[in-house]
Amino acid sequence: MNDLGALHHSTRPGAADPVKALLHRHRDLCEQAVDPLEIAAGLEAHGITDRTAARFRHRDVFSLAEELYARVSRDDAAPRPAPATTTPRTGAARTVLVLLVLLPGLPGALCAASAVALRLTHGEARVYTAAGGVLAVTLALHAALRRGPLSARTEIPAHSSAASWTCWLIAYTLLGDGLLRTAITGGPDGLPDGTAAGDWPLTVAPVVALALSCAPAAWTAHILAARVRRRLESSRGLEDFAASVRPLLIALFALFLGAVAVLVTATSALLDEPLALPSTLALGGLLFLARLLTIHGFAHAPKVILTLTAAAQLTALATLFTARLPGCDALATPLQTLSTYWSPAALPTLTCGAASLLLLIHTTRKLPQASTHIPPEPPR
């Protein structure tokens, strides 16, 4: 019997004490909760709404949670085990240093070093440098996403397609604008040579900026978790909690975009490349929101949005080359017009910007739910 079915059974007229039955079903949640709001969030996660709470003669879920909290603290709560010995301050400081500074900063540092190495190498050595840099950054990014604020709270099955499309979006940032610009004029005549001045130029600065943005992304996620925990302790209801978290999410997202803007401006100046601010902000915001949702267990929407965004870019590029077939000239007109009146960066700016907006709307609907921030009940 599922949870709502059990509730319906326990609230029938014959049930002597339906609240006691509910307490029995969620004993672990009620005993481990530090306040009624944590119980309310857990009940919300199990599909219990204010309408369901009315069957227990309570006006809302929070009122029901208050009775459960009072009951377990008065009658049913077992003594909690003594807290484990606290970690020494030096150990805690070392952990914070690793999780908030070293791990998030490693992808950016390795990516910047690879960009410099590409400028200093030539020929076959440049190919090996690029391959080594990609491998090193990938491993560092994997480590940063497995530990610390950017790691998922629960184990989520790997979505290889989402990871593949994410790689495509980053690869497009590196090579796409140069390919698009060259394709409009009839090229490319060869493969990219690893420079910004070749027939198929690279755009390295935005990629370095995005790698460096792993650090502010981790800091922002850490700030969000800390602030949310405080609001869980101070809020008087689920609606009150949601109303306080939503503007916090938007403010932290704007803070992250500001950090990306500073990073891409600095990297573009240091690497002497044109500033690609709108497209980098759009992609950075998209990847940040996708990771933030994945951290809290909402991996499906990011997977779908990333796939559609990458597919849109791939389709747009394909129309340019398909237009070279006899009678297909019109296929290239929309993209050529967009690139002429704006720039080749218009394509990633529009696709990633629209995707970021959709994910932002989804984020402000999902993450203000208190149940999102409560650890799942252990299996009984």
Side-chain angles (χ1 to χ4, degrees):
M1 185 181 297
N2 61 26
D3 205 49
L4 289 178
L7 286 176
H8 178 71
H9 176 76
S10 64
T11 54
R12 290 184 307 178
D17 189 353
V19 176
K20 186 175 182 180
L22 183 66
L23 177 61
H24 178 72
R25 284 190 64 83
H26 300 285
R27 180 178 298 277
D28 290 335
L29 169 67
C30 296
E31 289 181 351
Q32 296 172 12
V34 297
D35 52 38
L37 183 60
E38 190 166 334
I39 297 178
L43 296 178
E44 180 190 55
H46 285 82
I48 299 175
T49 63
D50 290 344
R51 184 176 179 180
T52 310
R55 300 177 188 173
F56 297 91
R57 304 191 179 205
H58 284 274
R59 65 183 183 277
D60 53 30
V61 176
F62 186 73
S63 175
L64 175 61
E66 285 184 319
E67 180 177 349
L68 291 172
Y69 183 76
R71 283 199 184 197
V72 76
S73 62
R74 183 177 64 245
D75 301 322
D76 300 282
R80 296 196 180 189
T85 304
T86 56
T87 306
R89 287 191 178 182
T90 54
R94 190 180 301 115
T95 301
V96 170
L97 177 66
V98 171
L99 297 183
L100 289 181
V101 179
L102 296 183
L103 273 182
L106 192 57
L110 291 175
C111 190
S114 300
V116 173
L118 281 175
R119 296 289 182 97
L120 300 176
T121 54
H122 303 278
E124 189 174 350
R126 177 174 287 160
V127 177
Y128 293 133
T129 299
V134 170
L135 178 61
V137 173
T138 301
L139 292 176
L141 186 59
H142 180 71
L145 297 182
R146 288 293 300 273
R147 298 286 304 275
L150 294 179
S151 62
R153 187 180 63 195
T154 56
E155 202 63 36
I156 298 175
H159 297 293
S160 56
S161 60
S164 299
W165 289 124
T166 300
C167 292
W168 160 266
L169 292 172
I170 296 174
Y172 186 93
T173 301
L174 183 67
L175 296 164
D177 288 351
L179 174 61
L180 181 58
R181 185 179 291 105
T182 304
I184 289 176
T185 59
D189 298 326
L191 295 175
D193 59 3
T195 68
D199 179 59
W200 186 346
L202 297 181
T203 310
V204 179
V207 177
V208 176
L210 290 174
L212 290 169
S213 71
C214 286
W219 302 336
T220 304
H222 176 71
I223 294 171
L224 175 64
R227 294 291 181 86
V228 162
R229 190 64 208 175
R230 292 198 199 101
R231 279 164 170 72
L232 277 173
E233 295 171 356
S234 62
S235 297
R236 282 291 303 165
L238 299 179
E239 292 184 2
D240 180 36
F241 173 79
S244 66
V245 169
R246 193 169 289 111
L248 174 64
L249 280 169
I250 296 174
L252 290 177
F253 179 62
L255 179 65
F256 172 76
L257 290 183
V260 174
V262 171
L263 289 172
V264 72
T265 302
T267 54
S268 297
L270 291 173
L271 296 174
D272 194 24
E273 291 185 3
L275 178 61
L277 184 59
S279 58
T280 307
L281 287 178
L283 179 56
L286 172 60
L287 297 180
F288 174 70
L289 291 172
R291 189 61 198 173
L292 201 59
L293 285 167
T294 302
I295 288 171
H296 293 89
F298 301 104
H300 179 69
K303 174 187 175 182
V304 172
I305 293 296
L306 289 172
T307 301
L308 292 176
T309 305
Q313 293 183 358
L314 183 59
T315 301
L317 280 177
T319 60
L320 277 181
F321 294 97
T322 305
R324 297 180 182 182
L325 298 175
C328 298
D329 297 354
L331 290 177
T333 302
L335 193 53
Q336 287 177 340
T337 302
L338 184 64
S339 299
T340 299
Y341 285 97
W342 189 350
S343 75
L347 175 61
T349 300
L350 293 177
T351 53
C352 294
S356 296
L357 180 59
L358 289 175
L359 274 191
L360 180 60
I361 294 172
H362 188 66
T363 301
T364 55
R365 289 180 59 248
K366 291 296 184 181
L367 295 196
Q369 297 176 4
S371 56
T372 300
H373 307 279
I374 300 297
E377 282 187 73
R380 292 184 61 85

